[in-house]
Amino acid sequence: MPKAPTPRATARTMAQQQREISVSEFFTKNRHLLGFDSPTKALLTTVKEAVDNALDACEEAGILPDLFVEVRPTAENRFRITVEDNGPGIMKAQIPRIFGKLLYGSKFHRLRQSRGQQGIGISAAGMYGQLTTGKPVVIESRTGPRKTAHRFELVIDTLKNEPVIRKDTEADWGDRPSGTRVEIELEGVHKGGRHGTEAYLRQTVLANPHVQIVFRNTKGEEVRWERAAFDLPPAAQEILPHPYGVELGVLLRMAKDTTSRQLGAFFRQEFSRVGPKAARAIVEGAGLSITSSPKRLSAEGAEKLIASIRNTRIPQPPTGCLSPIGAERMEASLREQVNADFYTAVSRGPSVYRGNPFQVEVGLAYGGELPADQLCALNRFANRVPLQYQQGACAISRAVLATNWRSYGLQQSRGALPTAPLVLLVHVASVWVPFTSESKEAVAGYDEILKELRLGLQDAGRKLGQFIRRGQRERDAARKRAYIEKYIPHIGIALQEILGLSEREEKRVVDTLTGTLQRSRKV
Amino acid sequence: MPKAPTPRATARTMAQQQREISVSEFFTKNRHLLGFDSPTKALLTTVKEAVDNALDACEEAGILPDLFVEVRPTAENRFRITVEDNGPGIMKAQIPRIFGKLLYGSKFHRLRQSRGQQGIGISAAGMYGQLTTGKPVVIESRTGPRKTAHRFELVIDTLKNEPVIRKDTEADWGDRPSGTRVEIELEGVHKGGRHGTEAYLRQTVLANPHVQIVFRNTKGEEVRWERAAFDLPPAAQEILPHPYGVELGVLLRMAKDTTSRQLGAFFRQEFSRVGPKAARAIVEGAGLSITSSPKRLSAEGAEKLIASIRNTRIPQPPTGCLSPIGAERMEASLREQVNADFYTAVSRGPSVYRGNPFQVEVGLAYGGELPADQLCALNRFANRVPLQYQQGACAISRAVLATNWRSYGLQQSRGALPTAPLVLLVHVASVWVPFTSESKEAVAGYDEILKELRLGLQDAGRKLGQFIRRGQRERDAARKRAYIEKYIPHIGIALQEILGLSEREEKRVVDTLTGTLQRSRKV
């Protein structure tokens, strides 16, 4: 029953209601922020988080990824998701918090491209499983051939956001040298189509040709994607923050935490691309001394430093921290994926938003068997991970909508995607992809990112435009040729009658005219 | 400089990188999740969070809200935001955590419509100010005419997510009996237009006619919105969770936490709309005894209970917890806002998603001075708060796009909003609005919500369709009348010549013909 009408509150009665909210409580109630707002999405999100972690771990350890993914029905609207990798494994002591605590991980505090970044995803998936089925998460992991494999059964105490170990045993991994296997049972709905697990895995392989996946679907059938490339993408390097984009608050904290005793050394050691000259320019530009102590930096001093940084020329951040797909690879992916008349891809140079390096890549396929009367298909990727939901929320989509595709010879209604036989592939790679929510389904619209997207789409668009116009010219030329060929014989006959030419002479006239005219039209 | 290429990692080296992430660190890095991804947005978000809290506090205390809002430039791209209310004030002990700790508040743990729900917004605004200017948040509050007003200067320790008090003094509030005043200085950009502060406040007043606001803009000019209604909206009541939509994990926790000793009593006391009969039906339907102890409930038992709940008829949740705007009020707002030919509004009945009551309202204005050649303007509201960003991400927009406006006589291209002289006003009210991110800019696409939106838009659309078709008929009729009136005189003249009629006779003929023809056409 409803309580009696709430009496009008006072500061005192309100104070009694003030409470701390645990991050797991928060995400339980806001689970759509994590991609668990529908049973279909919940299933896919769980697979996705586990696969992201597996691929990150393998690549970090320099191992060609070999994944096993299973979606096994256990009851009506219930599935047991299993993802196993051949990665380096996880130290026993770390397992409980990695899988049983939100906001815990290794990727948040570093500047380096990876699929996971927040330390939320896999624990959230486990929490969702526990919420809908009461079943614990099962993790097995082995860190080397001479090590024993461990097996944990975990649940999350959502009020404390802490893992609770239900079982802790050993597991027999036979001759599998190392890796991690996670099993989560959850309430979900399995769907095929472009939002389905198989579609997701196929796109993953397209953007990660060095990956091999065996997928056992709900019917128990196995789909296998062999690796198309036998070398790992170059290992993304970790970098220091770049002075451009550093904020006052962050600068103050870094100054408090640094081990350097002098401001000059502080900038050289804690920032990317700052040499002695730049360090001096920054510090003295702020009217401070390079020998003064970072610890004593005041808010006002920090403000002056930020201003001085803006006036100091500092090279762009190094981009070894990024691992783009590459134009050739994108074009190849498109050729595998769709049967079209024209393919192209563009890989933009690296750029920076809020001090974070990022890079945009655009590929497209046009014509052929693609449907001409529908809106173009847009495939979005972030750090090599396919984005399958929230297209409307994504900076990538905004950039595509904002591009004037008419000028490249396509149909486009106001506020809509172009209507054309077109597939677009857009990839944003960054040390920190700004997603619009923790579910990592869409990229936030930072101006610098939108700009790079626009330029990338325009590059690709222009190439498409040339192809379409060339097609146009060729069709025109063909029509003219047909025209000429239709009438010349009649001219021939006419001349023959007027001048009384012989058959041979008439033929010569016709051939000459045809030749001449065609040459004159360069067709 | 970049570090040397990261050596390939092992389980051990990775373990050394695993760390806990504080919720404030998380949101500092992900500040776009909170609506701080651009300086323009940051400014508006700060005003918005402060205004939301002020209005919630006043309404909860039964006070007609009287707000003062100021955006004062302090330097280039720097503003000091001040929001003061006449609410009940805040107890001294609560102030630091309410303004200096993320995930702390009174609204998260209850089921009742309010603007704030997460306990994040205002602290996040303060954190952003501190991050960009190093300045503390200044709060003054007085809880009654006989109480002294307190003044705090706070910063957040982002590593601990805890408030740090810089200053704690008294303030002179003269004859102002009670209220709260918050000042945040931040780096921002002030914009006019529909994303600007003034537009936001205007829309707030439209959806909250009982509110009075004085806005002092960046030029120091004051804009004043007088209250249009002198009674508060009925106080939204707090309700208990409804059994439909309760999840296994939640049920288990409630059973552990309850004070009831028996399952039957547990369901009667902890849930909305469950009487003795329903309680018995649920428990016995699960093959359990109403006298058994909730504390001993097993996961299997909980599963059976959930299944049994689904098979038990339980009345929908009470809706006193909701505070819709109302169809009349929405239509009135539209009349104030735009000069059009046709206005209508629909207030749907309450419905439920995941156990949370919610309600959809749709208003529209058509024709008049509205631009006919542009996409329609869509104004979105959630719990009476205007949503000004992330339109593409919003379930409301999705529902508008999915509606077939052609069938109501409007132009609409595939995948786009209708192109028409149309303003749409859509409101979603709920005890828990599922926003797509913590910035509360867009509503997540839960199926039940999308369905209600669709039905609401169709209701309003049909009415519009009737008006447009009627307009069509009238235009046709008018054209015929004009036609008739144009030619009858000539017939008259013709007859006059043929039959030699007199002026009078001719006029009679013309009048008769006109009358007859018009009657025959019922025009």
Side-chain angles (χ1 to χ4, degrees):
Chain A
M1 281 137 290
K3 293 185 178 165
T6 324
R8 295 304 196 177
T10 66
R12 185 171 303 281
T13 60
M14 287 179 180
Q16 287 149 5
Q17 300 208 325
Q18 302 290 356
R19 267 181 57 188
E20 182 164 355
I21 302 148
S22 107
V23 64
S24 346
E25 281 183 298
F26 176 76
F27 282 120
T28 307
K29 202 162 177 180
N30 277 321
R31 64 147 89 120
H32 49 271
L33 295 181
L34 302 172
F36 295 97
D37 40 335
S38 84
T40 318
K41 218 165 137 183
L43 193 153
L44 181 68
T45 302
T46 304
V47 172
K48 196 172 162 183
E49 295 294 350
V51 168
D52 286 359
N53 288 355
L55 294 180
D56 277 346
C58 290
E59 290 175 9
E60 221 175 312
I63 298 167
L64 278 169
D66 225 323
L67 268 54
F68 170 76
V69 179
E70 180 178 42
V71 179
R72 182 162 54 83
T74 54
E76 203 200 343
N77 294 339
R78 264 206 189 192
F79 298 88
R80 191 159 185 87
I81 310 288
T82 304
V83 174
E84 182 175 328
D85 64 50
N86 61 335
I90 302 169
M91 301 293 282
K92 184 178 181 192
Q94 297 300 322
I95 292 174
R97 276 175 299 180
I98 288 177
F99 293 91
K101 183 181 180 61
L102 299 182
L103 289 180
Y104 185 87
S106 60
K107 302 165 193 170
F108 181 86
H109 293 96
R110 69 185 187 194
L111 287 178
R112 171 179 169 185
Q113 175 177 336
S114 57
R115 295 170 181 81
Q117 37 188 51
Q118 310 177 129
I120 292 181
I122 195 65
S123 316
M127 197 166 74
Y128 177 79
Q130 163 185 347
L131 185 71
T132 53
T133 69
K135 295 265 195 305
V137 184
V138 179
I139 304 104
E140 290 184 13
S141 190
R142 186 183 200 178
T143 59
R146 261 174 270 81
K147 304 273 173 45
T148 51
H150 296 290
R151 183 175 193 283
F152 278 101
E153 291 189 16
L154 298 175
V155 294
I156 300 185
D157 176 339
T158 48
L159 290 185
K160 296 206 196 76
N161 184 35
E162 286 294 340
V164 178
I165 299 170
R166 284 280 181 81
K167 277 196 195 150
D168 170 357
T169 58
E170 294 191 348
D172 176 13
W173 269 48
D175 55 1
R176 284 172 297 164
S178 75
T180 303
R181 171 191 179 89
V182 53
E183 292 179 37
I184 295 174
E185 187 155 341
L186 50 76
E187 210 175 275
V189 169
H190 182 268
K191 257 216 188 125
R194 59 183 289 258
H195 284 347
T197 311
E198 190 170 332
Y200 165 72
L201 293 174
R202 188 182 309 107
Q203 287 209 48
T204 302
V205 174
L206 283 172
N208 301 272
H210 60 288
V211 173
Q212 182 157 301
I213 302 180
V214 174
F215 172 51
R216 188 177 296 150
N217 66 21
T218 50
K219 301 192 204 63
E221 307 154 349
E222 290 198 350
V223 187
R224 168 183 295 274
W225 291 279
E226 300 293 346
R227 66 174 51 85
F230 288 85
D231 46 354
L232 284 161
Q237 295 165 28
E238 188 171 345
I239 60 165
L240 295 164
H242 191 276
Y244 292 162
V246 70
E247 274 144 340
L248 197 126
V250 176
L251 180 61
L252 278 167
R253 204 171 78 214
M254 289 176 74
K256 296 258 166 309
D257 300 348
T258 184
T259 56
S260 333
R261 293 229 178 65
Q262 306 192 335
L263 263 182
F266 165 66
F267 275 99
R268 290 202 310 279
Q269 285 161 29
E270 307 285 349
F271 287 93
S272 167
R273 295 295 205 217
V274 179
K277 223 162 124 285
R280 179 178 291 276
I282 293 169
V283 176
E284 294 180 346
L288 301 169
S289 146
I290 57 166
T291 58
S292 63
S293 156
K295 297 252 179 305
R296 294 213 202 73
L297 183 64
S298 67
E300 294 60 36
E303 254 183 74
K304 294 209 193 79
L305 283 168
I306 298 271
S308 170
I309 285 170
R310 294 208 181 103
N311 306 330
T312 310
R313 274 204 74 277
I314 304 161
Q316 288 283 309
T319 54
C321 53
L322 296 178
S323 159
I325 298 173
E328 315 64 30
R329 183 60 226 166
M330 281 186 105
E331 195 174 320
S333 294
L334 280 165
R335 288 181 188 281
E336 293 170 43
Q337 206 174 4
V338 295
N339 192 339
D341 296 333
F342 175 73
Y343 303 85
T344 187
V346 176
S347 192
R348 299 275 308 164
S351 181
V352 180
Y353 84 93
R354 268 180 53 202
N356 301 314
F358 75 98
Q359 191 165 356
V360 166
E361 305 183 284
V362 177
L364 63 79
Y366 174 84
E369 294 173 357
L370 295 167
D373 58 349
Q374 288 170 31
L375 296 177
C376 79
L378 173 57
N379 296 334
R380 300 169 292 133
F381 292 85
N383 287 3
R384 296 169 167 264
V385 178
L387 309 179
Q388 298 187 282
Y389 284 96
Q390 298 241 28
Q391 179 164 309
C394 192
I396 294 176
S397 322
R398 270 172 65 189
V400 174
L401 289 178
T403 306
N404 175 8
W405 295 94
R406 287 195 219 77
S407 65
Y408 308 130
L410 302 185
Q411 281 181 43
Q412 182 182 26
S413 347
R414 193 192 282 102
L417 291 170
T419 301
L422 179 68
V423 171
L424 277 169
L425 211 96
V426 184
H427 181 223
V428 174
S430 179
V431 296
W432 186 264
V433 178
F435 290 106
T436 58
S437 90
E438 291 80 352
S439 58
K440 305 195 289 179
E441 295 164 333
V443 179
Y446 281 96
D447 294 343
E448 300 86 343
I449 297 178
L450 283 166
K451 182 184 168 207
E452 276 299 310
L453 284 166
R454 197 177 66 245
L455 295 173
L457 288 161
Q458 287 171 350
D459 288 358
R462 269 188 298 273
K463 294 184 181 167
L464 174 60
Q466 284 162 10
F467 170 80
I468 291 176
R469 277 191 302 278
R470 199 184 318 124
Q472 194 58 46
R473 275 202 307 278
E474 277 157 9
R475 278 189 296 282
D476 297 350
R479 214 178 303 107
K480 287 179 199 149
R481 191 189 294 106
Y483 194 80
I484 294 165
E485 280 157 358
K486 187 168 165 203
Y487 288 103
I488 285 179
H490 300 278
I491 301 173
I493 293 160
L495 289 171
Q496 180 182 32
E497 284 169 355
I498 299 158
L499 313 172
L501 302 176
S502 72
E503 289 290 330
R504 242 183 65 267
E505 288 172 310
E506 186 221 338
K507 189 171 176 318
R508 219 186 62 248
V509 171
V510 170
D511 295 349
T512 327
L513 279 173
T514 314
T516 323
L517 279 163
Q518 290 191 352
R519 270 192 307 284
S520 77
R521 293 186 179 285
K522 299 184 200 46
V523 293
Chain B
M1 286 137 286
K3 294 184 178 166
T6 325
R8 294 305 195 178
T10 66
R12 185 171 304 283
T13 60
M14 287 179 182
Q16 287 150 3
Q17 300 209 323
Q18 302 291 355
R19 266 182 58 187
E20 183 165 353
I21 302 148
S22 106
V23 64
S24 341
E25 282 183 297
F26 176 76
F27 282 119
T28 307
K29 202 161 177 180
N30 278 321
R31 66 147 90 121
H32 49 271
L33 295 181
L34 302 172
F36 294 98
D37 40 335
S38 85
T40 319
K41 219 166 137 183
L43 193 153
L44 180 69
T45 302
T46 303
V47 172
K48 196 173 162 181
E49 294 294 350
V51 168
D52 286 359
N53 288 355
L55 294 180
D56 276 346
C58 290
E59 290 175 9
E60 224 175 310
I63 298 167
L64 278 169
D66 225 323
L67 268 54
F68 170 77
V69 179
E70 179 179 43
V71 178
R72 181 161 55 82
T74 54
E76 203 199 346
N77 295 337
R78 262 206 193 191
F79 298 88
R80 191 159 186 88
I81 310 287
T82 304
V83 174
E84 181 174 328
D85 64 50
N86 61 335
I90 302 169
M91 302 292 284
K92 185 178 181 191
Q94 297 300 323
I95 292 173
R97 278 175 299 180
I98 288 179
F99 293 90
K101 183 181 179 60
L102 299 183
L103 289 180
Y104 185 87
S106 59
K107 302 166 192 168
F108 182 86
H109 292 96
R110 68 184 188 196
L111 288 178
R112 171 180 168 183
Q113 175 177 335
S114 57
R115 296 171 179 80
Q117 36 188 50
Q118 309 176 129
I120 292 180
I122 195 65
S123 316
M127 197 166 75
Y128 177 80
Q130 163 185 347
L131 185 72
T132 53
T133 70
K135 295 264 194 305
V137 185
V138 178
I139 304 104
E140 289 185 11
S141 190
R142 186 182 201 178
T143 59
R146 261 173 270 80
K147 305 273 173 45
T148 52
H150 296 291
R151 183 175 195 283
F152 278 102
E153 292 191 12
L154 298 175
V155 295
I156 299 184
D157 176 339
T158 48
L159 291 184
K160 296 207 196 76
N161 184 35
E162 287 293 341
V164 178
I165 299 171
R166 285 282 182 79
K167 277 195 196 149
D168 170 356
T169 59
E170 293 191 350
D172 176 12
W173 269 48
D175 56 1
R176 285 171 295 163
S178 76
T180 303
R181 170 190 179 92
V182 53
E183 292 180 35
I184 295 174
E185 186 155 344
L186 50 77
E187 209 175 277
V189 168
H190 183 268
K191 258 217 187 120
R194 58 183 289 261
H195 284 345
T197 311
E198 190 170 330
Y200 164 73
L201 293 174
R202 188 182 309 106
Q203 287 208 48
T204 303
V205 174
L206 284 172
N208 301 273
H210 60 287
V211 173
Q212 182 158 302
I213 302 180
V214 174
F215 173 50
R216 188 177 296 151
N217 66 22
T218 49
K219 301 192 202 64
E221 307 154 348
E222 289 199 350
V223 188
R224 169 184 296 274
W225 291 280
E226 300 293 347
R227 113 172 3 101
F230 288 83
D231 47 354
L232 284 160
Q237 294 165 29
E238 187 171 346
I239 60 165
L240 294 164
H242 191 275
Y244 292 162
V246 71
E247 274 144 341
L248 196 127
V250 176
L251 180 61
L252 278 167
R253 204 171 78 214
M254 289 175 75
K256 296 259 166 310
D257 301 348
T258 184
T259 55
S260 330
R261 294 230 176 65
Q262 306 192 336
L263 263 183
F266 165 66
F267 275 99
R268 291 201 311 278
Q269 285 161 27
E270 306 285 350
F271 287 94
S272 165
R273 294 294 205 219
V274 178
K277 222 162 124 287
R280 177 178 291 276
I282 292 170
V283 176
E284 294 181 346
L288 302 169
S289 146
I290 56 166
T291 59
S292 62
S293 156
K295 297 250 180 305
R296 294 211 203 74
L297 183 63
S298 67
E300 293 61 34
E303 256 183 72
K304 295 210 191 78
L305 283 169
I306 298 271
S308 170
I309 285 169
R310 294 205 180 105
N311 305 330
T312 311
R313 273 203 76 278
I314 305 162
Q316 289 280 310
T319 54
C321 53
L322 296 178
S323 159
I325 298 172
E328 315 64 29
R329 183 60 225 167
M330 282 187 104
E331 195 174 321
S333 295
L334 280 166
R335 288 182 188 280
E336 292 170 43
Q337 204 174 7
V338 296
N339 192 339
D341 297 332
F342 176 73
Y343 304 84
T344 187
V346 176
S347 192
R348 298 277 307 164
S351 181
V352 180
Y353 84 93
R354 266 180 57 201
N356 301 315
F358 74 97
Q359 192 166 354
V360 166
E361 305 183 285
V362 177
L364 64 79
Y366 174 84
E369 294 173 356
L370 295 167
D373 57 348
Q374 288 171 30
L375 296 177
C376 78
L378 173 57
N379 296 335
R380 301 168 292 133
F381 292 84
N383 286 4
R384 297 169 165 262
V385 178
L387 309 179
Q388 298 187 282
Y389 284 96
Q390 299 243 25
Q391 180 164 307
C394 191
I396 293 175
S397 322
R398 271 172 64 189
V400 174
L401 290 177
T403 306
N404 176 8
W405 296 93
R406 285 194 220 76
S407 65
Y408 308 129
L410 302 185
Q411 281 181 43
Q412 182 181 25
S413 348
R414 195 192 282 100
L417 292 170
T419 302
L422 179 69
V423 171
L424 276 169
L425 211 97
V426 184
H427 181 222
V428 174
S430 178
V431 295
W432 186 262
V433 178
F435 290 105
T436 59
S437 90
E438 290 80 352
S439 58
K440 305 195 287 178
E441 295 164 334
V443 179
Y446 281 95
D447 295 342
E448 300 85 344
I449 297 178
L450 283 166
K451 182 184 167 208
E452 276 300 309
L453 283 166
R454 198 177 64 247
L455 295 173
L457 287 161
Q458 287 171 350
D459 288 359
R462 270 188 297 274
K463 294 184 180 167
L464 173 60
Q466 285 161 11
F467 169 80
I468 290 176
R469 277 190 302 279
R470 199 183 322 121
Q472 196 57 48
R473 276 201 306 279
E474 278 159 8
R475 278 190 296 281
D476 297 349
R479 214 178 303 108
K480 287 181 198 146
R481 191 193 292 105
Y483 193 79
I484 296 165
E485 279 156 0
K486 186 168 165 201
Y487 288 105
I488 286 180
H490 300 278
I491 300 172
I493 292 160
L495 290 171
Q496 180 183 31
E497 284 170 354
I498 299 159
L499 312 174
L501 302 175
S502 71
E503 289 292 332
R504 240 183 64 269
E505 286 173 313
E506 186 222 338
K507 187 172 178 320
R508 219 186 61 251
V509 170
V510 170
D511 295 348
T512 326
L513 278 173
T514 313
T516 322
L517 279 162
Q518 289 193 351
R519 269 192 308 284
S520 75
R521 292 186 180 284
K522 298 182 205 49
V523 292

